Amino acid sequence: MEKKATGNETQLLASTKDVSGCNEGADCRENGLLIRNPKSALRLVEDGNKVHPSQGDKEEAAPIKNGYSGVQSSGPCNGMGGVEDAQCTAPAATTTTTTTTSTTCGAEGQQQLMELEDRETWSKKIDFLLSVIGYAVDLGNVWRFPYICYQNGGGAFLIPYTIMAIFGGIPLFYMELALGQYHRNGCISIWRKICPIFKGIGFAICIIDLYVASYYNTIMAWAFYYLVSSFTAELPWTSCTNAWNTGNCTNYFSKDNVSWTMYSISPAEEFYTRQVLQVHRSNGLDDLGGISWQLTLCLLLIFTIVYFSIWKGVKTSGKVVWVTATFPYIILFILLVRGATLPGAWRGVLYYLKPDWQKLLATEVWVDAAAQIFFSLGPGFGVLLAYASYNKFHNNCYQDALVTSTVNCLTSFVSGFVIFTVLGYMAEMRNEDVSEVAKDTGPSLLFITYAEAIANMPASTFFAIIFFLMLLTLGLDSTFAGLEGVITGVLDEFPHVWSKRRELFVLGLIIICFLGSLATLTFGGAYVVKLFEEYATGPAVLTVVFLEAVAVAWFYGITQFCNDVKEMLGFAPGWYWRICWVAISPIFLLFVTCSFLSNPPELRLFDYNYPYWTTVLGYCIGTSSVICIPIYMVYRLVVTPGTLKERILKSITPETATEIPIGDIRMNAV
């Protein structure tokens, strides 16, 4: 319930007296639990002048500095979860005013009090910004955006990309930041305050995050293997004289005159496929082969770094991102300058940006633009909810959303120049068209094409080390964020079990993720990574965010949500944001989801064509997370007492109020 102190709009709230000091006759009940900082009653101060309201003023509702409004209410606390007002007046000798705060009874109140007092916040605002930027800017910005851009019309692709960002990606990004900051809960428990019947969304998000952690970190293990292999005078993927090379290995950068044929394989490709992945020792998904002990050690070290970065919470991870979020930009700048000085770089840039306006008439271009901006900004993984929940209540999350999303999009665009200047150089050296060089997609673009180009630059060892170190830092940020989404969600849902055992829970989570990654560490692990990337997360996340947008805009109510934002920021979102949240963003998500389901991708990796049953398996894995949503809906309706209509109404009505901080007091907003 909303509470307020009387006074002028510019008055500040400060504590002065312990609750135990209530005067005789004050309305303080023993069986009530006052949800507030265990300091004192309120003192209203304005420019050092003390305010003495009359008794009549205590019964009126007046505006407070942050725009909250409310009136006093009273009611018995019966120990059954009822709410009562606790009114404590200060001694006459002190100049304090009477105020009212909400009282929550029983175990629920104790849990809320524990959550409020123990909730940590970011040490600095910049820690939060760097963490969000580090999460949004990941490996996909480096390899996925440049490839999709030139594949879908070059410079012309920027038009649908920008439109989808303005009307789809950024509004969803802003919505999640605002939800997390206002309700101060993770992806599971937040639904008690929004629309309880959709609580299954939180469980689905946690499962999706675990799937991502099971394959995403394996890609970082590949990068770590490359990093270790780079500490040599001659990079191992520059020659064809190694034990893993075949007779088709052709080094066209050698001084000898070498002809490139349709059977030729570069030493960089053989190093990647035969030494790092060892896919030649697997026959496909039905015969993955043994586990690579080298990659297992690399992944173990990565998870060790992750554990000691996030085990204490955002206080520690907020410091680590000062390195992991800023270092990639330094390296991108160095690689951009180096790439621009290479012969043939202009050919790559021209190929990257040359517009093909006819492509804009193709539906798949718009689908790719929508999917790219969505997965780049990353709503739906619980990360933005978790990170924003550690913000101060009046933090300007609107500004944060615009800044971080803009930085993310610009990083993707600049990464294209970093990649294509090098591809132009490769085309120049091979005496081929850029389109022939740029056939590799996904991780292969980094681990084969770009690695090969680096190997043939002057100071190749130095550039190889900083490049793969950059890939590691890009991946670590996203791993920190994904796991923090799960950790915050579970700890907020079960605070009585895990709130004091965070280190132990994080350790158990890391072990589960490591064991779940074993299939991706086999000789056929690259096939598993591809399957998970395409099917296990894509459609599932799209479905989750679609239902999340519908639940917030249509069940919780767009008016209520905008009022929440106004309480935090002092101004309400305009009509543009309201229309996006109510209609455009859900349609945007439905459009991408239906396009994906109606035309599932035909998977192929290297020379392996995925059989049909793998498509069914992929959809089953994806469904295993989304199925939590209808299951919880049924469970909720079954356990809720009353008629069917009463059950539905109770299930879509927020269970608990959100505590709004005013000075040292938390006021319930309903």
Side-chain angles (χ1 to χ4, degrees), residues 306-366:
V306 170
Y307 174 73
F308 287 107
S309 298
I310 65 176
W311 69 323
K312 291 293 185 181
V314 296
K315 295 291 186 183
T316 54
S317 63
K319 298 297 181 290
V320 176
V321 294
W322 279 80
V323 176
T324 57
T326 58
F327 182 76
Y329 287 96
I330 299 174
I331 304 307
L332 280 175
F333 177 75
I334 295 175
L335 294 175
L336 178 62
V337 173
R338 182 68 187 103
T341 61
L342 293 173
W346 64 273
R347 296 176 59 186
V349 173
L350 184 63
Y351 187 79
Y352 174 47
L353 294 179
K354 184 180 180 180
D356 183 357
W357 302 109
Q358 289 296 117
K359 290 276 190 178
L360 296 181
L361 301 177
T363 304
E364 57 269 18
V365 172
W366 293 84

Side-chain angles (χ1 to χ4, degrees), residues 228-441:
V228 174
S229 302
S230 299
F231 286 93
T232 57
E234 181 181 357
L235 297 176
W237 57 88
T238 58
S239 65
C240 295
T241 58
N242 302 287
W244 58 81
N245 292 128
T246 66
N248 290 327
C249 181
T250 305
N251 186 6
Y252 54 86
F253 281 97
S254 63
K255 297 180 180 179
D256 302 328
N257 291 327
V258 177
S259 60
W260 186 266
T261 68
M262 60 180 298
Y263 301 104
S264 297
I265 302 176
S266 68
E269 181 177 349
E270 290 202 342
F271 178 79
Y272 178 56
T273 59
R274 300 180 62 85
Q275 176 64 10
V276 179
L277 303 181
Q278 303 184 59
V279 293
H280 63 287
R281 302 176 65 178
S282 168
N283 294 323
L285 285 174
D286 52 350
D287 181 19
L288 295 176
I291 294 178
S292 170
W293 65 267
Q294 298 98 326
L295 293 180
T296 302
L297 290 179
C298 292
L299 186 63
L300 183 62
L301 183 58
I302 287 172
F303 272 127
T304 302
I305 296 173
V306 170
Y307 174 73
F308 287 107
S309 298
I310 65 176
W311 69 323
K312 291 293 185 181
V314 296
K315 295 291 186 183
T316 54
S317 63
K319 298 297 181 290
V320 176
V321 294
W322 279 80
V323 176
T324 57
T326 58
F327 182 76
Y329 287 96
I330 299 174
I331 304 307
L332 280 175
F333 177 75
I334 295 175
L335 294 175
L336 178 62
V337 173
R338 182 68 187 103
T341 61
L342 293 173
W346 64 273
R347 296 176 59 186
V349 173
L350 184 63
Y351 187 79
Y352 174 47
L353 294 179
K354 184 180 180 180
D356 183 357
W357 302 109
Q358 289 296 117
K359 290 276 190 178
L360 296 181
L361 301 177
T363 304
E364 57 269 18
V365 172
W366 293 84
V367 174
D368 285 346
Q372 173 60 29
I373 190 63
F374 174 82
F375 288 110
S376 181
L377 293 176
F381 291 93
V383 175
L384 302 177
L385 292 174
Y387 276 172
S389 71
Y390 298 111
N391 277 335
K392 291 179 171 57
F393 185 78
H394 296 292
N395 172 66
N396 193 340
C397 58
Y398 169 70
Q399 186 182 66
D400 296 342
L402 295 181
V403 170
T404 53
S405 56
T406 301
V407 169
N408 175 71
C409 295
L410 289 177
T411 303
S412 298
F413 183 63
V414 173
S415 297
F417 288 97
V418 174
I419 296 296
F420 274 89
T421 52
V422 171
L423 292 182
Y425 166 65
M426 294 283 291
E428 184 81 8
M429 295 296 101
R430 287 190 185 183
N431 196 25
E432 293 180 334
D433 189 73
V434 179
S435 59
E436 295 297 318
V437 179
K439 286 182 177 180
D440 291 324
T441 62

Side-chain angles (χ1 to χ4, degrees), residues 583-665:
I584 297 179
S585 294
I587 293 174
F588 158 84
L589 292 166
L590 193 61
F591 168 67
V592 179
T593 305
C594 292
S595 298
F596 183 92
L597 296 177
S598 63
N599 187 26
E602 296 181 2
L603 298 187
R604 174 183 172 87
L605 183 63
F606 306 125
D607 294 326
Y608 177 69
N609 292 310
Y610 284 64
Y612 176 77
W613 65 265
T614 59
T615 302
V616 178
L617 176 62
Y619 278 124
C620 289
I621 296 173
T623 306
S624 66
S625 57
V626 179
I627 198 68
C628 293
I629 302 174
I631 288 177
Y632 186 83
M633 287 181 174
V634 173
Y635 164 78
R636 179 81 192 187
L637 293 174
V638 169
V639 301
T640 303
T643 64
L644 179 60
K645 181 179 180 180
E646 291 173 341
R647 294 180 182 188
I648 294 176
L649 289 176
K650 290 179 182 178
S651 297
I652 63 176
T653 303
E655 290 179 0
T656 57
T658 294
E659 297 77 19
I660 301 176
I662 302 181
D664 288 326
I665 287 188

Side-chain angles (χ1 to χ4, degrees), residues 451-474:
E452 184 176 7
I454 287 178
N456 293 278
M457 295 180 185
S460 58
T461 298
F462 168 74
F463 285 109
I465 291 173
I466 64 171
F467 175 72
F468 292 112
L469 196 57
M470 179 193 72
L471 296 185
L472 273 178
T473 55
L474 285 172

